[in-house]
């Protein structure tokens, strides 16, 4: 690589419509691991023609984890390598003084569809977004303008999807499906039952309902013949936005950057679910032979694009305020928007809600 500025790590993807990768994983230590759990369901096991399988991490949770590879928790902003990408920061003012960080579209499950952006008393950003979308309640949606607007305010919406469930925004019809999705599954699984006891050395026979006393418990973990992460990047959808070759490159590089950074980084999904890839060299099953570039090469290519004025001018960092009272659910009164479509009822699972 004699000239890093001209290096193109995704050149072989230009004719492909889909990028599919299967990444074998294993527990970092031992054999047991704790899968994700769901309310009223527990661990999600299911039967296939190949035997019992287990959902280790859902697509919704993986979307959150991929997004967080780009976020600096200490500074409450995107990581330095991605300086210049579009996102919306929400701040809270107190008693007329400049307030602190509240949240960011990169942290919100619905990204630009976050209630902290669309439901607050301060309507400035909502009105700006509405004008940019130019979408009426009736008639076809201008998909290219929608993509341009999402790129301008939050590029992550074009990768992880978004649903703007507001009646004032094209009747709640503005949505984009995930272009990048991932899930972790385990095959040949069986339960590794164990247990323990919460000891109270002061009052072993105390009232357990109040947190006192010795309390025995059971615990189910799992072992598996194999654990795999499946990654699916819809390259045709990215091209279908109609945003031009440089933006297509940016979105593709950003998606691959998220996958590589997650794989190279911390896959400790839960206290008892610490995984690692069996190999750092990841080869795609489609298109055949594509190798996931190194984090260094992806970072350099992203920096080159983000430094390009023709790309940089398409994105902005927006700051809004949310000073509404933070009410508990039981205090919430019926609003004028209760007849709007609910994202949870959508046939497109495009939010990044964690389990």
């Amino acid at each position: 690589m004699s000239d890093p500025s001209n290096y193109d790590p995704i050149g072989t993807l230009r004719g492909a419509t889909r990028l599919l990768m299967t990444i074998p994983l294993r527990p970092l230590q031992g054999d047991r691991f704790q899968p994700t759990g769901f309310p009223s369901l527990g661990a999600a096991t299911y039967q296939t023609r190949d035997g019992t399988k287990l959902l280790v991490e859902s697509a919704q949770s993986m979307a959150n984890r991929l997004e967080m590879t780009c976020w600096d928790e200490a500074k409450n902003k995107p990581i330095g390598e991605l300086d210049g990408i579009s996102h919306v920061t929400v701040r809270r003012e107190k008693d007329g003084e400049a307030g602190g960080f509240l949240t960011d579209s990169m942290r919100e499950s619905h990204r630009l569809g976050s209630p902290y952006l669309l439901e607050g008393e301060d309507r400035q950003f909502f009105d700006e977004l509405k004008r940019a979308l130019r979408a009426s309640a009736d008639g076809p949606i201008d998909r290219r303008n929608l993509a341009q607007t999402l790129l301008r305010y939050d590029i992550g919406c074009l990768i992880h999807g978004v649903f703007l469930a507001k009646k004032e925004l094209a009747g709640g019809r503005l949505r984009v499906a995930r272009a990048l999705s991932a899930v972790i599954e385990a095959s040949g699984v069986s339960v590794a039952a164990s247990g323990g006891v919460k000891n109270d050395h002061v009052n072993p026979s105390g009232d357990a309902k109040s947190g006192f006393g010795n309390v025995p418990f059971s615990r189910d973990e799992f072992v598996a013949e194999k654990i795999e992460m499946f990654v699916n990047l819809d390259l045709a959808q990215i091209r279908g936005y109609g945003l031009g070759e440089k933006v297509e490159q940016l979105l593709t590089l950003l998606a691959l950057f998220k996958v590589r950074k997650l794989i190279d980084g911390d896959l400790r999904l839960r206290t008892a679910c610490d995984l690692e890839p069996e190999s750092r060299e990841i080869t795609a099953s489609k298109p055949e032979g594509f190798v996931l570039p190194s984090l260094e090469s992806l970072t350099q290519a992203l920096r080159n694009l983000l430094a390009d004025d023709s790309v940089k001018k398409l994105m902005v960092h927006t700051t809004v305020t949310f000073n509404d009272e933070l009410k508990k659910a039981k205090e919430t009164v019926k609003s004028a928007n209760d007849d709007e479509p609910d994202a949870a009822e959508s046939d497109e699972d495009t939010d990044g809600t964690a389990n």
Side-chain angles (χ1 to χ4, degrees), residues 135-181:
S136 61
D138 301 316
I141 294 171
D142 186 340
R143 306 296 297 184
R144 186 168 183 271
N145 180 67
L146 172 61
Q148 289 174 331
T149 303
L150 296 177
L151 172 65
R152 177 172 176 78
Y153 293 108
D154 184 356
I155 189 174
C157 294
L158 297 175
I159 294 176
H160 297 294
V162 70
F163 181 21
L164 301 176
K166 292 289 291 180
K167 181 172 57 178
E168 300 97 319
L169 301 177
R173 296 179 295 140
L174 298 177
R175 65 181 70 187
V176 174
R178 289 192 184 104
L180 173 66
S181 60

Side-chain angles (χ1 to χ4, degrees), residues 5-33:
S5 65
N6 293 326
Y7 176 56
D8 181 7
I10 59 171
T12 56
L13 295 179
R14 298 192 189 285
T17 58
R18 195 70 63 89
L19 173 63
L20 305 179
M21 291 181 284
T22 301
I23 304 172
L25 305 174
R26 63 190 174 201
L28 188 62
Q29 293 178 303
D31 298 305
R32 293 176 299 166
F33 62 91

Side-chain angles (χ1 to χ4, degrees), residues 188-207:
V189 299
S190 57
V191 174
S194 61
V197 61
K198 189 277 290 181
N199 287 310
D200 184 343
H201 68 277
V202 176
N203 184 14
S205 59
D207 181 10

Side-chain angles (χ1 to χ4, degrees), residues 247-260:
V247 175
E248 291 171 14
Q249 291 178 19
L250 177 62
L251 290 169
T252 304
L253 285 167
L254 185 54
L256 295 180
F257 175 88
K258 291 169 183 275
V259 175
R260 172 53 80 181

